[in-house]
Amino acid sequence: MKNSTILSTLSLSFALSLSAVSQASDRQTGIAEVLRDEALLSNHAWQLVESLTTEVGPRLAGTDSDHRAVAWAKKKLESLEFDKVWLEPVTFPIWQRSHESARIISPYPQPLHITALGYSASTKGELSGEIIAFPTLAELEAASEDTIKGKIVFIDEATQRTKDGSGYGKTVIMRYKGATLTKEKGGLAVLIRSVGTDSHRLPHTGVGVLLDDPIPAAALSSPDADQLRRILARGEAVTVGIDTKVSLQAEGSSWNVIAQLDGKDTPEEIVLIGAHLDSWDLGTGAIDDGAGVAITTAVAAQIAGFTERPQRSIRLVLFANEEQGLWGAKSYAKDHETELAQHVWASESDFGAGLIHHFDANNEQLASRAEPVLAALDITVGHEPGSGGPDIGPLSEQGVTTFRLRQNGMDYFDVHHTADDTLDKIEPNNLKQNVAAWVVATWLAANPD
Amino acid sequence: MKNSTILSTLSLSFALSLSAVSQASDRQTGIAEVLRDEALLSNHAWQLVESLTTEVGPRLAGTDSDHRAVAWAKKKLESLEFDKVWLEPVTFPIWQRSHESARIISPYPQPLHITALGYSASTKGELSGEIIAFPTLAELEAASEDTIKGKIVFIDEATQRTKDGSGYGKTVIMRYKGATLTKEKGGLAVLIRSVGTDSHRLPHTGVGVLLDDPIPAAALSSPDADQLRRILARGEAVTVGIDTKVSLQAEGSSWNVIAQLDGKDTPEEIVLIGAHLDSWDLGTGAIDDGAGVAITTAVAAQIAGFTERPQRSIRLVLFANEEQGLWGAKSYAKDHETELAQHVWASESDFGAGLIHHFDANNEQLASRAEPVLAALDITVGHEPGSGGPDIGPLSEQGVTTFRLRQNGMDYFDVHHTADDTLDKIEPNNLKQNVAAWVVATWLAANPD
């Protein structure tokens, strides 16, 4: 870290000498500008995500790979200039896939590309049945048991490509509720169109089935859903076979990996930033959420390497098992229950590596101080309350104030939860802009005066 | 066909009434203009490729699916207005995959996405070995046996995206020669970077191994090749495991499916157009070569449905088993050996459904007559000799004159020979432009006066 310290010192002198020219309204926004410009020159986040996705790769919660990710994170954080690095255990069931295949049996035999949804059941050999199709979840909800009993349900709702992920927000309900509804109405299994915006034969996984007494549930890739729709349109009965083998181990564990830089004035006040360390098993978890791990780690490390400590403490939390139901986040909120009043800000990076275009802080002072500093990154500022990210949910439910750096998610759901979530999908320059924006927000949140 | 006949009659009257305004240099180019404009309004090619890829899907040569494709083609052609439709048997060995998986065993355990190359051998359970990497085939060629013996060879040559497919032309040699060289030098198996231009985890198959005494050979998807390269760059020995199960059945068969419209003046003179009916097993063979089947069938059908017969005969050949070594094309050339002198023109559509931008005819008269008619389709014209397409090779070797409608292949190798070769990759309007260009070239080739 010697080089970055030297760079920080140089940059600070440079900034202070420029204080008359800069638009900084106070000394702290002046430092935020320096940190922003330093971040734009740094490859640290790229190095982190390259290392995590290459040396660990996929890291499904509770597996050996996930435990290697925890060891990787602990070692990385210990090599940086934090005051403390520690692990907090999290327990949850471990769900794993070992086989998944499907095919159209009749009228036109051919393979289908599927992936099992998290917590779904095995088919115990090939399960075959006639397809009953619904264009939307609402139509499945409205359908009678008679039409569904003994059949395989196919829900074919397409996800709209949107900047803010609202398209996903609508169709992911099909993933959450499709299996439960199918089961209630006597269906054998459910196939959903992937909750994704691409047209590749790489289906999108994700949790979607209640843990107790599940049924087989899987996602078809978009081209496969199109194909099934075309075949159904011919009007004949369509029989498919599904073969998934999964396992559920009741007790598994992982760790929230935490690093802290103590504040110089009010160390008991915590600004929490983070991401989740686990990923789905199909890809190498580059955009979900290696990018977030890299962005927030680089930000915390940059501030830790800076010549001046922030007034408040900065806590970096790399959450365990976000993917299967925020297990790490819920565990953190519970374990730190008595300390939550001192969590003055919290935010997570968990939306890939697209450019940040907007900053929302549920507090006018932070927003207005950040505005001129973020303008140079082409980021607008607002005061909309809103989620600080999935893992921040359990904290904000208990009153922790959040900020959010909104990213362009137009391409995010092309690869989200697929085998295609790999390093090549991250644009290094976008990652730099993310770190620059995050370091501004984090610094200002940690330095109220 | 009633409607299209009416349309043809109307269009012809229209064209004849417009003959003063049109740029047609003779009556035949006037008709070519009419056929061109009619083709631009027709969905026939789209209907054909939709039907083939949906109702048959993948059709690996010699399999039941391929035989269903032959039945599909025969039935379609018989429903159109040809004079004759017939099948000619073709025999070849049947190679099929039943399992393929791979993983990095050490230092960073994780799965790799591979697909076995055609005619490669099974690994007989997991075959593990240390990787020795070569950036190019030339470096493998230059390497000593000592460095390769007992190892798994990885050839990492990237394919350049080009309009004319010349990038593929260069790297496909790695697929053809990689296994042979590896075997000669004592390697256990070969992994090549996919011969493709995309960055998705859908590896590209293709033939690449000599039939007699092969070794295991597979392609990694581009992101997997990148990952392996990054892991190797860490400097430690890298061990991978490969598990492929394939079968080779010595005697299989399929059929060239042929339709003919007899010429009114010189029926013994044949203008042969065609495509190949088989596909790889991974996708549904939409761009390779469902598009070509649809384009050339629509063209032959349009001419067969036209009010006036062409002077020469038009023969549509849907070749069997192009993918595994031009088995159908070689068989056709042999079976029709004595008739080849009467094959006055031959050309194949086998480069997807990208727009046609250039027409080359190895004969100045055809080129110059086609030029003004093709200009409206934004197609330039030249006289370069050149291949008429893979299946035309065995004919042109025996002196048959060829023409070629050159397509924009910028995206072709993104999905070529992958599971992603599906109907959604075809743009219906591009298909119409292809049919319009083909019908002009075919009509003029069949009507010399």
Side-chain angles (χ1 to χ4, degrees):
Chain A
M1 284 286 91
K2 209 175 229 178
N3 285 341
S4 97
T5 310
I6 292 169
L7 181 60
S8 301
T9 314
L10 289 174
S11 306
L12 182 61
S13 321
F14 181 64
L16 296 178
S17 71
L18 276 183
S19 55
V21 216
S22 90
Q23 297 305 306
S25 61
D26 60 46
R27 189 168 169 282
Q28 298 304 348
T29 55
I31 293 174
E33 285 180 353
V34 172
L35 291 169
R36 175 196 68 196
D37 296 344
E38 185 181 88
L40 290 173
L41 297 171
S42 169
N43 283 318
H44 192 201
W46 175 261
Q47 287 160 358
L48 288 165
V49 70
E50 194 269 356
S51 172
L52 175 61
T53 58
T54 304
E55 295 162 21
V56 179
R59 41 198 185 279
L60 189 76
T63 62
D64 288 351
S65 305
D66 180 44
H67 295 169
R68 288 195 291 120
V70 169
W72 174 92
K74 182 167 180 282
K75 194 174 164 193
K76 283 284 174 204
L77 297 182
E78 284 173 346
S79 76
L80 301 167
E81 300 176 57
F82 294 108
D83 295 308
K84 294 190 283 280
V85 173
W86 72 99
L87 304 184
E88 296 183 355
V90 181
T91 56
F92 48 81
I94 305 180
W95 178 89
Q96 282 181 278
R97 86 187 76 236
S98 57
H99 174 79
E100 50 196 22
S101 64
R103 65 186 178 116
I104 291 172
I105 296 172
S106 68
Y108 308 127
Q110 55 190 288
L112 293 170
H113 284 224
I114 63 161
T115 192
L117 298 181
Y119 296 143
S120 64
S122 294
T123 54
K124 293 164 188 161
E126 185 175 65
L127 170 73
S128 65
E130 190 186 328
I131 287 284
I132 176 157
F134 298 96
T136 61
L137 183 73
E139 282 163 273
L140 168 60
E141 274 176 324
S144 71
E145 287 186 23
D146 294 351
T147 55
I148 292 166
K149 207 174 163 85
K151 293 187 178 162
I152 294 174
V153 165
F154 166 45
I155 321 174
D156 192 22
E157 203 160 343
T159 299
Q160 204 188 341
R161 185 183 295 280
T162 59
K163 192 171 175 181
D164 64 356
S166 56
Y168 175 82
K170 283 177 196 159
T171 49
V172 73
I173 303 166
M174 161 179 72
R175 201 182 74 207
Y176 288 129
K177 294 179 67 178
T180 309
L181 276 169
T182 297
K183 192 177 176 188
E184 280 171 12
K185 292 174 190 266
L188 298 176
V190 64
L191 291 174
I192 64 167
R193 171 182 278 266
S194 277
V195 184
T197 49
D198 61 299
S199 198
H200 297 294
R201 291 187 82 190
L202 295 165
H204 296 239
T205 191
V207 279
V209 185
L210 294 177
L211 259 171
D212 48 325
D213 196 19
I215 62 166
L220 286 162
S221 83
S222 295
D224 288 275
D226 292 341
Q227 183 79 333
L228 185 50
R229 181 193 289 186
R230 278 191 295 269
I231 293 175
L232 286 160
R234 262 74 177 163
E236 284 183 68
V238 176
T239 306
V240 304
I242 307 174
D243 190 346
T244 61
K245 192 176 172 191
V246 301
S247 64
L248 190 71
Q249 184 185 321
E251 296 201 6
S253 64
S254 187
W255 291 267
N256 289 328
V257 184
I258 307 176
Q260 185 159 312
L261 178 72
D262 295 329
K264 68 179 162 66
D265 300 336
T266 51
E268 71 287 358
E269 292 185 336
I270 294 163
V271 174
L272 184 155
I273 63 171
H276 65 86
L277 189 56
D278 69 308
S279 79
W280 279 105
D281 50 336
L282 302 176
T284 64
I287 66 149
D288 187 17
D289 183 27
V293 166
I295 291 162
T296 54
T297 301
V299 164
Q302 190 188 351
I303 296 177
F306 192 61
T307 45
E308 185 171 319
R309 276 187 184 257
Q311 295 164 356
R312 291 168 170 162
S313 292
I314 289 171
R315 182 175 291 178
L316 173 72
V317 184
L318 304 180
F319 292 97
N321 198 349
E322 184 268 350
E323 292 296 2
Q324 293 163 41
L326 311 177
W327 293 88
K330 288 173 186 165
S331 176
Y332 181 90
K334 192 159 170 260
D335 293 350
H336 294 266
E337 202 169 6
T338 59
E339 200 193 5
L340 291 189
Q342 281 94 57
H343 281 60
V344 293
W345 284 106
S347 190
E348 181 179 33
S349 172
D350 183 22
F351 200 54
L355 285 173
I356 293 170
H357 62 90
H358 188 75
F359 173 61
D360 266 321
N362 200 354
N363 165 303
E364 200 178 334
Q365 202 210 349
L366 178 58
S368 59
R369 292 168 75 216
E371 191 159 12
V373 193
L374 293 176
L377 300 171
D378 205 16
I379 296 170
T380 54
V381 171
H383 314 278
E384 290 288 317
S387 151
D391 288 307
I392 305 305
L395 300 178
S396 59
E397 277 168 24
Q398 297 196 44
V400 175
T401 315
T402 61
F403 64 78
R404 190 72 184 265
L405 290 147
R406 298 188 185 277
Q407 292 170 273
N408 181 341
M410 289 298 279
D411 301 331
Y412 185 65
F413 294 103
D414 285 350
V415 301
H416 175 256
H417 292 191
T418 73
D420 234 0
D421 181 4
T422 48
L423 186 63
D424 51 298
K425 308 308 181 304
I426 295 180
E427 169 53 54
N429 282 333
N430 290 359
L431 208 57
K432 287 180 183 172
Q433 190 255 15
N434 271 262
V435 177
W438 270 88
V439 80
V440 168
T442 307
W443 181 263
L444 293 178
N447 293 278
D449 301 328
Chain B
M1 284 284 91
K2 208 175 229 175
N3 285 340
S4 98
T5 308
I6 292 167
L7 182 62
S8 300
T9 312
L10 288 173
S11 306
L12 182 60
S13 321
F14 183 64
L16 296 178
S17 70
L18 275 182
S19 57
V21 216
S22 91
Q23 296 305 304
S25 61
D26 58 46
R27 188 167 168 282
Q28 298 304 346
T29 55
I31 294 174
E33 284 179 356
V34 172
L35 291 169
R36 175 197 69 196
D37 297 344
E38 182 182 89
L40 289 173
L41 296 173
S42 168
N43 284 317
H44 191 202
W46 175 262
Q47 286 160 358
L48 289 165
V49 70
E50 194 267 358
S51 172
L52 175 61
T53 59
T54 304
E55 295 162 22
V56 180
R59 44 199 183 276
L60 189 76
T63 62
D64 288 350
S65 305
D66 180 43
H67 295 170
R68 287 195 293 121
V70 169
W72 174 93
K74 183 166 178 283
K75 194 174 165 194
K76 284 282 175 204
L77 297 183
E78 284 173 346
S79 76
L80 300 167
E81 301 175 58
F82 294 109
D83 295 308
K84 292 191 282 279
V85 174
W86 72 99
L87 305 184
E88 295 183 356
V90 182
T91 56
F92 47 82
I94 304 181
W95 178 90
Q96 282 181 276
R97 83 186 79 235
S98 57
H99 175 80
E100 49 197 22
S101 64
R103 64 188 179 116
I104 291 172
I105 295 172
S106 69
Y108 308 127
Q110 55 190 283
L112 293 170
H113 284 224
I114 64 161
T115 193
L117 298 182
Y119 296 142
S120 64
S122 295
T123 54
K124 292 164 190 164
E126 185 175 65
L127 170 73
S128 65
E130 190 185 329
I131 288 283
I132 177 158
F134 298 96
T136 61
L137 182 75
E139 282 163 274
L140 168 61
E141 273 176 324
S144 72
E145 287 186 23
D146 294 352
T147 56
I148 291 165
K149 209 175 162 84
K151 292 186 178 162
I152 294 173
V153 165
F154 166 45
I155 320 174
D156 192 22
E157 202 160 342
T159 299
Q160 206 189 337
R161 185 183 294 280
T162 59
K163 192 171 174 181
D164 64 355
S166 55
Y168 175 83
K170 283 176 194 158
T171 49
V172 74
I173 303 166
M174 160 179 74
R175 201 183 74 206
Y176 288 129
K177 292 180 67 178
T180 309
L181 276 168
T182 297
K183 191 176 179 190
E184 279 171 14
K185 292 172 189 267
L188 299 177
V190 64
L191 291 174
I192 63 166
R193 170 183 279 267
S194 277
V195 184
T197 48
D198 61 300
S199 197
H200 297 293
R201 291 186 83 190
L202 294 165
H204 297 238
T205 191
V207 278
V209 184
L210 295 177
L211 259 174
D212 49 325
D213 197 20
I215 62 166
L220 286 161
S221 84
S222 296
D224 288 274
D226 292 341
Q227 182 80 330
L228 185 51
R229 181 194 289 187
R230 279 191 295 271
I231 294 174
L232 287 159
R234 263 74 178 165
E236 286 182 68
V238 176
T239 306
V240 304
I242 307 174
D243 190 345
T244 60
K245 192 176 172 194
V246 300
S247 64
L248 189 70
Q249 185 185 319
E251 295 201 8
S253 65
S254 188
W255 291 267
N256 289 328
V257 184
I258 307 176
Q260 184 158 314
L261 177 73
D262 295 329
K264 67 179 162 70
D265 299 336
T266 51
E268 71 288 358
E269 292 185 335
I270 293 164
V271 174
L272 184 155
I273 63 172
H276 65 85
L277 188 56
D278 69 309
S279 79
W280 279 104
D281 51 337
L282 301 176
T284 62
I287 66 150
D288 188 14
D289 186 22
V293 167
I295 292 162
T296 53
T297 301
V299 164
Q302 189 188 351
I303 296 177
F306 191 61
T307 44
E308 184 170 321
R309 276 188 185 255
Q311 295 164 357
R312 291 167 170 162
S313 292
I314 290 173
R315 183 176 290 181
L316 173 72
V317 183
L318 304 180
F319 292 97
N321 198 350
E322 183 268 352
E323 292 297 2
Q324 293 164 41
L326 310 179
W327 293 89
K330 287 173 186 165
S331 176
Y332 181 91
K334 192 159 168 263
D335 293 350
H336 295 265
E337 204 167 7
T338 58
E339 199 192 8
L340 291 189
Q342 280 94 57
H343 281 61
V344 292
W345 285 106
S347 189
E348 181 180 33
S349 172
D350 183 21
F351 200 53
L355 285 173
I356 292 171
H357 62 90
H358 189 75
F359 173 63
D360 265 321
N362 202 353
N363 166 302
E364 201 178 334
Q365 201 212 349
L366 178 58
S368 59
R369 291 170 74 217
E371 192 159 11
V373 192
L374 292 176
L377 299 171
D378 205 17
I379 297 170
T380 54
V381 171
H383 315 278
E384 289 290 316
S387 151
D391 288 307
I392 305 304
L395 300 179
S396 58
E397 278 168 23
Q398 296 196 47
V400 175
T401 314
T402 60
F403 64 78
R404 189 73 184 264
L405 289 145
R406 298 189 185 276
Q407 292 170 272
N408 181 339
M410 288 299 278
D411 302 330
Y412 184 66
F413 294 103
D414 286 349
V415 301
H416 176 254
H417 292 191
T418 73
D420 236 0
D421 181 3
T422 47
L423 186 63
D424 51 299
K425 309 307 182 302
I426 295 181
E427 169 53 56
N429 282 332
N430 290 0
L431 208 56
K432 287 180 184 174
Q433 190 254 14
N434 271 261
V435 177
W438 270 88
V439 81
V440 168
T442 307
W443 181 263
L444 293 179
N447 292 280
D449 300 327

